[in-house]
Structure formats: C-alpha cells, structure tokens
Amino acid sequence: MFTQDILSGQVALVTGGSRGIGSAIAMTLAAMGAKVGVNYNASRDEAEYVARVIIEAGGDAVTVQGNVSLDTEASDVVEKINQHWGQVDILVNNAGITRDKLLMRMSLEDWENVIDVDLKSAFLCTKYVMPQLIRRRNGRIINISSVVGIGGNPGQANYAAAKAGLIGFTKAVAREVASRNVTVNAVAPGFIDNGGMVEQLSDDSKDTILNRIPMGRFGSGEEVAELVAFLSTPNAGYITGQVFTIDGGLIA
Ligand code: NAP
C-alpha cells in the first residue's frame, strides 16, 4: 500500500522527462514525494511546464538540459542534480527516439542515433549515478525498454536492438550491484498513446495495431508511470534484474 509520501527524501532523475511517458513518470514520482530532476534535450518549454506543474502541486522539481547520449553532457546532468539536491537515489533511463526504416534503407546514422540515445545514454547515466548508490547501499535504476526489444518489429531494427540491449544491460548491472541493495529493472511498454511515438503512426497503422492488442486500446503514460513508481519504492526492494511488460496483453 502506497502512502502519499513514500518517496519523501528521495531524489529522482528522469531522462527525457519533458514529454510523453517521461513527463508522466516525473509527475507521478513527485506526487509520491520525490524531488525530481526533469531532463530534456531540446524541449525546454515542455520541461519547464512539467516542473511548474509539480511545484504548483506542492512538490519539488528542477529542469536540467543535456543530451544524455553524449558522455560529458550525461555526466553534467547527473552532476547538476547532485549539486542541487546533494544526491540521486532513483534514475529512470527514459530518453528515447525512433528512426524507423526497413533495414535495406537504414543508414548508419539512423542506426547510430538510435543506439546512442536509446542505449548508450542509459549506460552513461547509470555509470555516473551508480557510485553514490553503492556508497549509500540504496538505489533504484529503471530502464524504459519496449516490447519491440522482446519481439522485434519490421522497420525498427535499430530500435529493437537498442531496447533488447537495454534488457541485457539491466540484467547484467542488476547482478553487479544486487549485494549493495541497488535494484535495476526494465519496463517494456507496448503501444502508449501519449502524444509521442504512437502519435506519429498513420491511422491505418494505428487500426492494425489496435486489432492486435487484446485489450483493444493503447496504454497511457500514467499507467507506465505507476509501474515505474512502484519499482522506485522500498516496497519493491526484493525485485531486481526483471523486465515488466505493460502492453494490454500484446505479447502475453
Ligand atoms: P517522446 O514523447 O518522443 O519523448 C521522448 C523524450 O526523450 C523527450 O522528453 C525528449 O526530450 C527526450 N530525449 C530524446 N532524445 C534525448 C537526448 N538525446 N537527451 C535527453 N533527452 C532526450 O517519447 P515517449 O513515447 O514518451 O517514449 C519515452 C520512452 O518510452 C522511450 O524510451 C521510448 O522508446 C519508450 N517507449 C515508448 C513507447 C510508446 O508507445 N510511446 C512504447 C515503448 C517504449 P527532447 O524533446 O527535449 O529531446
């Protein structure tokens, strides 16, 4: 059972917290008492909106710009939160992009951009946050993967590889740090309608996908956020190295 302030005293960093699923995660963690660093790369207005909503609701949030796929910027993002609040306890590696094309048409740039933003960023942010989690014997890393990383999807070889890579990363790092009371889990959403990636699909593609989802609807960012929030709490302290799909039964 959650209490309203179960994350009180904890500091969360949500990469790509300015829009879509990331903004829902940032707001949900804040509603549970966490102070939240809202990272963004380009969407400054959206990030500031998220922070403002949190603060107006009585929470604490700060925006932090940085392209987390770049080594120095990922390091700076973590450092800025450390300077602001003195610590990071919960890291949600949510930042992600798609550059969909069939393999034969996919450029090296399409491949590298997606691998960098969707996979390398998680490596970098986790690496820069981890020493303090180990020192304090407490921490939560939650990586936002995708059902596409489990089942594949035509036109998304780059994205599927990055999201499958995140799952392997989750399991390996979970084993490395389990004895230090730091948990590392992955959440693999199906199709989430939040103004983000699903929005870019054509109406025909949306209909085709909806027909494949046993629940007959897309998920919401808030539903994903509730799962991430649970994994962030002390109640989830014995769960690590796991992948949780949240997809309306799509790959059940
Ligand atoms: P979205 O609405 O497009 O939002 C992506 C977020 O990532 C934005 O806040 C964006 O901020 C940020 N971002 C992108 N590149 C970045 C970078 N280099 N550095 C820092 N931030 C960066 O996407 P979404 O649909 O909410 O997806 C969020 C996560 O869930 C992604 O990892 C995605 O792969 C995963 N996912 C989504 C779905 C879905 O159906 N929506 C399904 C499965 C998994 P800027 O605008 O400032 O760049």
Side-chain angles (χ1 to χ4, degrees), residues 105-143:
R105 297 201 187 115
M106 188 175 286
S107 67
L108 179 59
E109 195 184 1
D110 293 329
W111 173 267
E112 288 181 340
N113 283 345
V114 170
I115 299 293
D116 284 357
V117 177
D118 295 37
L119 180 58
K120 189 169 107 185
S121 66
F123 159 71
L124 292 171
C125 293
T126 304
K127 184 175 156 70
Y128 290 122
V129 163
M130 192 58 83
Q132 57 175 301
L133 305 187
I134 287 177
R135 215 167 37 243
R136 290 197 300 276
R137 300 283 196 273
N138 181 51
R140 297 279 183 273
I141 309 284
I142 296 132
N143 297 316

Side-chain angles (χ1 to χ4, degrees), residues 173-184 240:
V173 180
R175 287 179 183 274
E176 286 184 24
V177 299
S179 67
R180 311 303 170 95
N181 204 32
V182 177
T183 69
V184 188
T240 198

Side-chain angles (χ1 to χ4, degrees), residues 169-223:
F169 175 75
T170 298
K171 289 176 179 285
V173 180
R175 287 179 183 274
E176 286 184 24
V177 299
S179 67
R180 311 303 170 95
N181 204 32
V182 177
T183 69
V184 188
N185 289 292
V187 166
F191 291 91
I192 308 301
D193 195 5
N194 54 15
M197 294 175 178
V198 165
E199 195 86 341
Q200 295 164 21
L201 298 168
S202 68
D203 286 347
D204 277 357
S205 305
K206 281 188 190 169
D207 287 345
T208 310
I209 291 163
L210 281 173
N211 285 332
R212 285 171 45 213
I213 301 173
M215 284 192 172
R217 66 171 179 88
F218 296 121
S220 71
E222 288 70 23
E223 288 172 315

Side-chain angles (χ1 to χ4, degrees), residues 221-252:
E222 288 70 23
E223 288 172 315
V224 177
E226 288 294 338
L227 175 54
V228 172
F230 170 66
L231 293 171
S232 304
T233 65
N235 294 349
Y238 199 52
I239 301 172
T240 198
Q242 302 304 306
V243 186
F244 297 91
T245 54
I246 174 164
D247 64 357
L250 182 66
I251 61 163

Side-chain angles (χ1 to χ4, degrees), residues 16 18-19 21 39 41-43 67-68 94 145 159 163 190 192:
S18 57
R19 294 189 281 116
I21 294 172
N39 161 251
N41 183 28
S43 305
N67 178 347
V68 288
N94 167 79
S145 178
Y159 186 72
K163 295 299 185 180
I192 308 301

